[in-house]
Amino acid sequence: MNWLQQLPIPVQTIGLLIASNIFMTFAWYGHLKHQTNQAWYVAALVSWGIALFEYLLQVPANRIGHSQFSVAQLKILQEVITLSVFVPFALYYMNEPLKWDYLWAALCMVGAVYFMFRSA
């Protein structure tokens, strides 16, 4: 982890949040593709196992990031990253169709980022 500490704080934070979101997305939605014949509690247990790795990345990301970002800024970063990870997941992994709503949601997020960071 020493090489990670040499990176700028925003890069550390965003990188860890991206990685945690990949785990989160698979924990929340991956069972819809692979465990539809399983009882919901089996999917929940598998999801919790995957989510452990999310938290092992997300908690350090927020601790590192909080030294430079406000809690509100961390939250909006998380939401933008979530959408950025979710859309490719939905399109390529879950084979969902591309919808204009993804673009409109992304534009709303751009506005949210602007307002959250404009006074920084």
Side-chain angles (χ1 to χ4, degrees):
M1 279 281 236
N2 192 18
W3 64 270
L4 182 63
Q5 294 170 340
Q6 295 175 1
L7 296 172
I9 288 174
V11 174
Q12 292 179 49
T13 302
I14 291 168
L16 287 168
L17 287 175
I18 289 169
S20 77
N21 263 278
I22 292 169
F23 283 105
M24 178 196 74
T25 302
F26 277 93
W28 283 21
Y29 303 106
H31 62 89
L32 298 174
K33 184 172 183 175
H34 296 291
Q35 295 181 317
T36 55
N37 297 328
Q38 299 286 334
W40 70 267
Y41 53 85
V42 172
L45 291 172
V46 171
S47 293
W48 283 346
I50 296 168
L52 171 64
F53 296 102
E54 173 207 351
Y55 281 100
L56 291 174
L57 296 166
Q58 181 265 346
V59 170
N62 284 332
R63 285 180 166 232
I64 292 166
H66 193 250
S67 67
Q68 187 163 337
F69 300 115
S70 70
V71 173
Q73 289 171 329
L74 285 170
K75 181 60 180 169
I76 201 62
L77 279 173
Q78 174 71 26
E79 295 304 327
V80 168
I81 291 167
T82 296
L83 185 62
S84 300
V85 168
F86 177 78
V87 170
F89 173 86
L91 296 176
Y92 300 113
Y93 189 77
M94 297 298 291
N95 297 313
E96 296 276 328
L98 179 62
K99 297 181 181 180
W100 280 103
D101 292 342
Y102 294 146
L103 174 64
W104 307 135
L107 289 174
C108 289
M109 293 298 242
V110 168
V113 169
Y114 169 75
F115 287 111
M116 200 57 69
F117 283 89
R118 71 181 171 158
S119 62

